[in-house]
Amino acid sequence: MKAIVVHQYGGPEVLKFEDYPDPVPGPGEVLVRVAATSVNPIDCKRRAGLTKDFYPMQFPSLIGVDIAGTVVQIGPGVEGFSVGDPVFAMADNTYAELCVINAAVLAKIPKGLDLIRAAALPLATVTGNQLSSATGIKAGQTVMVVGAVGSVGRSAVFIAKERGAAVIAGVLKRQMDEAKMVGADQAVATDDDTAIANLPPLDAVADTVGGRTAQKLIAKVKPGGVFASVVGAPQNAAEYPSVKVAPVFSKFDRKTLEFMAEAVRDGKLVIPISQTLPLSEAAQAQAATEKGGIGKILLVP
């Protein structure tokens, strides 16, 4: 098969489109022909060596987390899947034409959802769901979702609204128009200190950004409130001992993924796709992702 192979840590240029041995499913595994994968920040960090202390690569290595595709072979002991099933998952080594996936982390794509577009959903929507849930937000409470125009942020906004909360979208000034489309009750520019100062006390913050923004916003959380984050605790968290800091690490959950995918299919949640590129252009796709912007980039073998 063809795959994106990494031989060393470095910039996007280390992503090489090469021949690589076809994977073979073992017990409890399924072989999937990849219809599409998507580029996530974790992919870029792995390639650059920023996660080697806890998520190392053994060279030559494959890369990638999101996958949507079609089952082509079933390993021993697998039940519930058949050859030809359209499936998606958070997996490993997805920048390839074929991918072996543990059946326990595989889900069937809901009918009516496009196979290619489904590749944008697993990591981002599950993470957003779990981030929002980690705040413990309830009906009648107010939560600020920071980075609300991103795919994880949009998913977190959707879940908070499903729970009946009032949601403030935290975005950059230049993203205010886009913020009107994410389903929040209002938007606030996080790079406007006056706007931050004028925020009401918050029951919770769901953070996807970190840095100075997080340090400013933890000060706005009520005593007993929650600051949940996918990028670690604010550096000044110790100054606010009455605020519970909840780190969020995405964990696969089939029901969560199916629920989020059905919301996308039904138009309740929109995850924008900015580009669809051939798998061979993975280096270009990661370079674009690192520059920032709104919308997922898909890679199609």
mmCIF file of all heavy atoms in Angstrom, residues 110-114 117 121 125 154-155 157-158 161-162 180-184 258-272:
data_model
loop_
_atom_site.group_PDB
_atom_site.id
_atom_site.type_symbol
_atom_site.label_atom_id
_atom_site.label_comp_id
_atom_site.label_asym_id
_atom_site.label_seq_id
_atom_site.Cartn_x
_atom_site.Cartn_y
_atom_site.Cartn_z
ATOM 1 N N PRO A 110 -23.252 6.458 10.672
ATOM 2 C CA PRO A 110 -24.718 6.544 10.563
ATOM 3 C C PRO A 110 -25.166 6.709 9.104
ATOM 4 O O PRO A 110 -24.512 7.405 8.326
ATOM 5 C CB PRO A 110 -25.057 7.795 11.385
ATOM 6 C CG PRO A 110 -23.916 7.960 12.331
ATOM 7 C CD PRO A 110 -22.705 7.476 11.584
ATOM 8 N N LYS A 111 -26.263 6.065 8.763
ATOM 9 C CA LYS A 111 -26.804 6.190 7.414
ATOM 10 C C LYS A 111 -27.129 7.649 7.123
ATOM 11 O O LYS A 111 -27.680 8.353 7.959
ATOM 12 C CB LYS A 111 -28.058 5.325 7.269
ATOM 13 C CG LYS A 111 -27.776 3.833 7.268
ATOM 14 C CD LYS A 111 -29.043 3.027 7.047
ATOM 15 C CE LYS A 111 -28.726 1.528 7.018
ATOM 16 N NZ LYS A 111 -29.955 0.711 6.822
ATOM 17 N N GLY A 112 -26.754 8.086 5.923
ATOM 18 C CA GLY A 112 -27.021 9.464 5.531
ATOM 19 C C GLY A 112 -25.841 10.400 5.734
ATOM 20 O O GLY A 112 -25.887 11.550 5.289
ATOM 21 N N LEU A 113 -24.793 9.925 6.400
ATOM 22 C CA LEU A 113 -23.600 10.746 6.605
ATOM 23 C C LEU A 113 -22.559 10.379 5.558
ATOM 24 O O LEU A 113 -22.235 9.201 5.376
ATOM 25 C CB LEU A 113 -23.030 10.526 8.006
ATOM 26 C CG LEU A 113 -21.770 11.337 8.369
ATOM 27 C CD1 LEU A 113 -22.060 12.833 8.366
ATOM 28 C CD2 LEU A 113 -21.245 10.904 9.747
ATOM 29 N N ASP A 114 -22.033 11.377 4.864
ATOM 30 C CA ASP A 114 -21.061 11.155 3.804
ATOM 31 C C ASP A 114 -19.813 10.479 4.340
ATOM 32 O O ASP A 114 -19.254 10.875 5.373
ATOM 33 C CB ASP A 114 -20.690 12.496 3.160
ATOM 34 C CG ASP A 114 -19.679 12.346 2.041
ATOM 35 O OD1 ASP A 114 -20.058 11.880 0.954
ATOM 36 O OD2 ASP A 114 -18.494 12.677 2.270
ATOM 37 N N ARG A 117 -16.621 12.891 4.526
ATOM 38 C CA ARG A 117 -16.767 13.919 5.565
ATOM 39 C C ARG A 117 -16.731 13.328 6.970
ATOM 40 O O ARG A 117 -16.350 14.006 7.937
ATOM 41 C CB ARG A 117 -18.058 14.715 5.352
ATOM 42 C CG ARG A 117 -18.082 15.527 4.069
ATOM 43 C CD ARG A 117 -19.352 16.360 3.946
ATOM 44 N NE ARG A 117 -19.403 17.439 4.930
ATOM 45 C CZ ARG A 117 -18.869 18.631 4.751
ATOM 46 N NH1 ARG A 117 -18.222 18.910 3.628
ATOM 47 N NH2 ARG A 117 -18.970 19.553 5.685
ATOM 48 N N LEU A 121 -14.635 13.774 11.906
ATOM 49 C CA LEU A 121 -15.401 13.818 13.150
ATOM 50 C C LEU A 121 -14.813 13.107 14.366
ATOM 51 O O LEU A 121 -14.997 13.594 15.491
ATOM 52 C CB LEU A 121 -16.809 13.266 12.897
ATOM 53 C CG LEU A 121 -17.596 13.924 11.756
ATOM 54 C CD1 LEU A 121 -19.010 13.333 11.699
ATOM 55 C CD2 LEU A 121 -17.650 15.427 11.909
ATOM 56 N N THR A 125 -14.930 15.706 17.546
ATOM 57 C CA THR A 125 -16.258 15.751 18.156
ATOM 58 C C THR A 125 -16.309 15.004 19.484
ATOM 59 O O THR A 125 -16.982 15.437 20.420
ATOM 60 C CB THR A 125 -17.348 15.211 17.211
ATOM 61 O OG1 THR A 125 -17.122 13.821 16.941
ATOM 62 C CG2 THR A 125 -17.373 15.986 15.907
ATOM 63 N N ARG A 154 -16.628 23.929 18.669
ATOM 64 C CA ARG A 154 -18.007 23.843 18.173
ATOM 65 C C ARG A 154 -18.738 22.658 18.813
ATOM 66 O O ARG A 154 -19.924 22.746 19.149
ATOM 67 C CB ARG A 154 -18.011 23.678 16.648
ATOM 68 C CG ARG A 154 -17.604 24.926 15.887
ATOM 69 C CD ARG A 154 -17.347 24.608 14.427
ATOM 70 N NE ARG A 154 -16.823 25.758 13.720
ATOM 71 C CZ ARG A 154 -17.536 26.554 12.933
ATOM 72 N NH1 ARG A 154 -18.815 26.293 12.721
ATOM 73 N NH2 ARG A 154 -16.985 27.589 12.326
ATOM 74 N N SER A 155 -18.025 21.551 18.941
ATOM 75 C CA SER A 155 -18.626 20.359 19.539
ATOM 76 C C SER A 155 -18.954 20.598 21.008
ATOM 77 O O SER A 155 -20.000 20.161 21.511
ATOM 78 C CB SER A 155 -17.683 19.165 19.380
ATOM 79 O OG SER A 155 -17.414 18.920 18.006
ATOM 80 N N VAL A 157 -19.612 23.554 22.383
ATOM 81 C CA VAL A 157 -20.767 24.467 22.405
ATOM 82 C C VAL A 157 -22.059 23.669 22.223
ATOM 83 O O VAL A 157 -23.039 23.863 22.962
ATOM 84 C CB VAL A 157 -20.647 25.536 21.304
ATOM 85 C CG1 VAL A 157 -21.973 26.291 21.134
ATOM 86 C CG2 VAL A 157 -19.513 26.508 21.601
ATOM 87 N N PHE A 158 -22.060 22.765 21.267
ATOM 88 C CA PHE A 158 -23.256 21.971 20.977
ATOM 89 C C PHE A 158 -23.706 21.189 22.209
ATOM 90 O O PHE A 158 -24.902 21.185 22.565
ATOM 91 C CB PHE A 158 -22.974 21.019 19.810
ATOM 92 C CG PHE A 158 -24.038 19.985 19.593
ATOM 93 C CD1 PHE A 158 -25.287 20.325 19.111
ATOM 94 C CD2 PHE A 158 -23.789 18.649 19.887
ATOM 95 C CE1 PHE A 158 -26.277 19.367 18.927
ATOM 96 C CE2 PHE A 158 -24.762 17.685 19.707
ATOM 97 C CZ PHE A 158 -26.013 18.045 19.224
ATOM 98 N N LYS A 161 -25.152 23.468 24.958
ATOM 99 C CA LYS A 161 -26.518 23.891 24.626
ATOM 100 C C LYS A 161 -27.504 22.733 24.799
ATOM 101 O O LYS A 161 -28.639 22.936 25.236
ATOM 102 C CB LYS A 161 -26.572 24.428 23.192
ATOM 103 C CG LYS A 161 -25.845 25.756 22.985
ATOM 104 C CD LYS A 161 -26.389 26.861 23.887
ATOM 105 C CE LYS A 161 -27.853 27.176 23.596
ATOM 106 N NZ LYS A 161 -28.371 28.239 24.505
ATOM 107 N N GLU A 162 -27.077 21.525 24.459
ATOM 108 C CA GLU A 162 -27.930 20.354 24.665
ATOM 109 C C GLU A 162 -28.280 20.185 26.140
ATOM 110 O O GLU A 162 -29.351 19.695 26.487
ATOM 111 C CB GLU A 162 -27.216 19.092 24.152
ATOM 112 C CG GLU A 162 -27.185 18.941 22.651
ATOM 113 C CD GLU A 162 -28.502 18.452 22.096
ATOM 114 O OE1 GLU A 162 -28.912 17.322 22.419
ATOM 115 O OE2 GLU A 162 -29.143 19.215 21.332
ATOM 116 N N LYS A 180 -20.808 33.743 15.143
ATOM 117 C CA LYS A 180 -22.271 33.805 15.106
ATOM 118 C C LYS A 180 -22.881 32.499 14.592
ATOM 119 O O LYS A 180 -24.082 32.273 14.755
ATOM 120 C CB LYS A 180 -22.716 34.966 14.213
ATOM 121 C CG LYS A 180 -22.284 36.346 14.719
ATOM 122 C CD LYS A 180 -22.626 37.431 13.714
ATOM 123 C CE LYS A 180 -22.118 38.799 14.162
ATOM 124 N NZ LYS A 180 -22.372 39.850 13.142
ATOM 125 N N MET A 181 -22.043 31.653 13.982
ATOM 126 C CA MET A 181 -22.548 30.448 13.341
ATOM 127 C C MET A 181 -22.394 29.191 14.191
ATOM 128 O O MET A 181 -22.745 28.103 13.743
ATOM 129 C CB MET A 181 -21.808 30.229 12.003
ATOM 130 C CG MET A 181 -21.764 31.442 11.092
ATOM 131 S SD MET A 181 -23.404 31.988 10.592
ATOM 132 C CE MET A 181 -23.873 30.627 9.526
ATOM 133 N N VAL A 182 -21.835 29.307 15.402
ATOM 134 C CA VAL A 182 -21.513 28.099 16.163
ATOM 135 C C VAL A 182 -22.603 27.691 17.149
ATOM 136 O O VAL A 182 -22.474 26.657 17.814
ATOM 137 C CB VAL A 182 -20.160 28.236 16.899
ATOM 138 C CG1 VAL A 182 -19.046 28.577 15.924
ATOM 139 C CG2 VAL A 182 -20.225 29.269 18.024
ATOM 140 N N GLY A 183 -23.656 28.488 17.281
ATOM 141 C CA GLY A 183 -24.763 28.104 18.135
ATOM 142 C C GLY A 183 -24.711 28.622 19.556
ATOM 143 O O GLY A 183 -25.549 28.250 20.389
ATOM 144 N N ALA A 184 -23.733 29.484 19.861
ATOM 145 C CA ALA A 184 -23.640 30.060 21.202
ATOM 146 C C ALA A 184 -24.651 31.198 21.370
ATOM 147 O O ALA A 184 -25.189 31.722 20.393
ATOM 148 C CB ALA A 184 -22.231 30.571 21.454
ATOM 149 N N GLU A 258 -21.128 8.141 17.751
ATOM 150 C CA GLU A 258 -22.350 7.974 16.963
ATOM 151 C C GLU A 258 -23.317 9.132 17.197
ATOM 152 O O GLU A 258 -23.926 9.647 16.248
ATOM 153 C CB GLU A 258 -23.004 6.630 17.306
ATOM 154 C CG GLU A 258 -22.208 5.431 16.818
ATOM 155 C CD GLU A 258 -22.730 4.100 17.335
ATOM 156 O OE1 GLU A 258 -23.543 4.113 18.294
ATOM 157 O OE2 GLU A 258 -22.330 3.055 16.793
ATOM 158 N N PHE A 259 -23.441 9.553 18.455
ATOM 159 C CA PHE A 259 -24.328 10.672 18.785
ATOM 160 C C PHE A 259 -23.890 11.956 18.090
ATOM 161 O O PHE A 259 -24.699 12.681 17.498
ATOM 162 C CB PHE A 259 -24.358 10.878 20.301
ATOM 163 C CG PHE A 259 -25.113 12.096 20.744
ATOM 164 C CD1 PHE A 259 -26.501 12.100 20.761
ATOM 165 C CD2 PHE A 259 -24.439 13.244 21.139
ATOM 166 C CE1 PHE A 259 -27.206 13.227 21.164
ATOM 167 C CE2 PHE A 259 -25.134 14.376 21.544
ATOM 168 C CZ PHE A 259 -26.516 14.371 21.555
ATOM 169 N N MET A 260 -22.581 12.240 18.142
ATOM 170 C CA MET A 260 -22.064 13.461 17.521
ATOM 171 C C MET A 260 -22.195 13.392 16.000
ATOM 172 O O MET A 260 -22.529 14.387 15.341
ATOM 173 C CB MET A 260 -20.615 13.688 17.934
ATOM 174 C CG MET A 260 -20.401 13.866 19.437
ATOM 175 S SD MET A 260 -21.300 15.247 20.165
ATOM 176 C CE MET A 260 -20.229 16.623 19.688
ATOM 177 N N ALA A 261 -21.946 12.225 15.438
ATOM 178 C CA ALA A 261 -22.057 12.067 13.985
ATOM 179 C C ALA A 261 -23.499 12.237 13.511
ATOM 180 O O ALA A 261 -23.753 12.828 12.456
ATOM 181 C CB ALA A 261 -21.518 10.702 13.569
ATOM 182 N N GLU A 262 -24.448 11.744 14.293
ATOM 183 C CA GLU A 262 -25.851 11.918 13.933
ATOM 184 C C GLU A 262 -26.247 13.392 14.002
ATOM 185 O O GLU A 262 -27.036 13.875 13.178
ATOM 186 C CB GLU A 262 -26.734 11.078 14.860
ATOM 187 C CG GLU A 262 -26.633 9.583 14.575
ATOM 188 C CD GLU A 262 -27.254 8.720 15.647
ATOM 189 O OE1 GLU A 262 -27.799 9.285 16.629
ATOM 190 O OE2 GLU A 262 -27.189 7.478 15.509
ATOM 191 N N ALA A 263 -25.663 14.122 14.958
ATOM 192 C CA ALA A 263 -25.942 15.561 15.052
ATOM 193 C C ALA A 263 -25.416 16.295 13.813
ATOM 194 O O ALA A 263 -26.064 17.209 13.291
ATOM 195 C CB ALA A 263 -25.305 16.136 16.312
ATOM 196 N N VAL A 264 -24.239 15.881 13.335
ATOM 197 C CA VAL A 264 -23.691 16.472 12.110
ATOM 198 C C VAL A 264 -24.570 16.117 10.915
ATOM 199 O O VAL A 264 -24.928 16.971 10.101
ATOM 200 C CB VAL A 264 -22.238 15.996 11.887
ATOM 201 C CG1 VAL A 264 -21.742 16.424 10.511
ATOM 202 C CG2 VAL A 264 -21.326 16.565 12.981
ATOM 203 N N ARG A 265 -24.928 14.854 10.818
ATOM 204 C CA ARG A 265 -25.798 14.416 9.707
ATOM 205 C C ARG A 265 -27.106 15.194 9.678
ATOM 206 O O ARG A 265 -27.595 15.579 8.611
ATOM 207 C CB ARG A 265 -26.085 12.923 9.854
ATOM 208 C CG ARG A 265 -27.015 12.355 8.789
ATOM 209 C CD ARG A 265 -27.604 11.037 9.215
ATOM 210 N NE ARG A 265 -28.434 11.172 10.419
ATOM 211 C CZ ARG A 265 -28.884 10.144 11.136
ATOM 212 N NH1 ARG A 265 -28.560 8.911 10.792
ATOM 213 N NH2 ARG A 265 -29.652 10.357 12.204
ATOM 214 N N ASP A 266 -27.659 15.457 10.855
ATOM 215 C CA ASP A 266 -28.965 16.117 10.953
ATOM 216 C C ASP A 266 -28.868 17.640 10.908
ATOM 217 O O ASP A 266 -29.894 18.327 11.013
ATOM 218 C CB ASP A 266 -29.667 15.679 12.239
ATOM 219 C CG ASP A 266 -29.964 14.183 12.269
ATOM 220 O OD1 ASP A 266 -29.961 13.553 11.188
ATOM 221 O OD2 ASP A 266 -30.181 13.642 13.370
ATOM 222 N N GLY A 267 -27.659 18.178 10.771
ATOM 223 C CA GLY A 267 -27.488 19.620 10.658
ATOM 224 C C GLY A 267 -27.516 20.367 11.982
ATOM 225 O O GLY A 267 -27.507 21.605 12.000
ATOM 226 N N LYS A 268 -27.518 19.650 13.102
ATOM 227 C CA LYS A 268 -27.521 20.298 14.418
ATOM 228 C C LYS A 268 -26.130 20.811 14.798
ATOM 229 O O LYS A 268 -26.000 21.735 15.601
ATOM 230 C CB LYS A 268 -28.009 19.318 15.485
ATOM 231 C CG LYS A 268 -29.433 18.831 15.277
ATOM 232 C CD LYS A 268 -29.792 17.794 16.340
ATOM 233 C CE LYS A 268 -31.198 17.243 16.137
ATOM 234 N NZ LYS A 268 -31.504 16.192 17.147
ATOM 235 N N LEU A 269 -25.108 20.180 14.261
ATOM 236 C CA LEU A 269 -23.707 20.533 14.512
ATOM 237 C C LEU A 269 -22.995 20.602 13.172
ATOM 238 O O LEU A 269 -23.129 19.691 12.349
ATOM 239 C CB LEU A 269 -23.047 19.483 15.410
ATOM 240 C CG LEU A 269 -21.527 19.556 15.592
ATOM 241 C CD1 LEU A 269 -21.122 20.856 16.277
ATOM 242 C CD2 LEU A 269 -21.021 18.355 16.386
ATOM 243 N N VAL A 270 -22.251 21.685 12.960
ATOM 244 C CA VAL A 270 -21.513 21.856 11.705
ATOM 245 C C VAL A 270 -20.013 21.839 12.004
ATOM 246 O O VAL A 270 -19.521 22.639 12.804
ATOM 247 C CB VAL A 270 -21.888 23.173 11.004
ATOM 248 C CG1 VAL A 270 -21.040 23.367 9.751
ATOM 249 C CG2 VAL A 270 -23.373 23.178 10.645
ATOM 250 N N ILE A 271 -19.306 20.914 11.385
ATOM 251 C CA ILE A 271 -17.844 20.854 11.465
ATOM 252 C C ILE A 271 -17.323 21.225 10.075
ATOM 253 O O ILE A 271 -17.367 20.412 9.152
ATOM 254 C CB ILE A 271 -17.348 19.456 11.866
ATOM 255 C CG1 ILE A 271 -17.953 19.030 13.211
ATOM 256 C CG2 ILE A 271 -15.820 19.439 11.940
ATOM 257 C CD1 ILE A 271 -17.570 19.901 14.390
ATOM 258 N N PRO A 272 -16.841 22.464 9.893
ATOM 259 C CA PRO A 272 -16.418 22.898 8.555
ATOM 260 C C PRO A 272 -15.212 22.110 8.053
ATOM 261 O O PRO A 272 -14.346 21.712 8.840
ATOM 262 C CB PRO A 272 -16.054 24.373 8.759
ATOM 263 C CG PRO A 272 -16.653 24.770 10.065
ATOM 264 C CD PRO A 272 -16.687 23.536 10.898
#
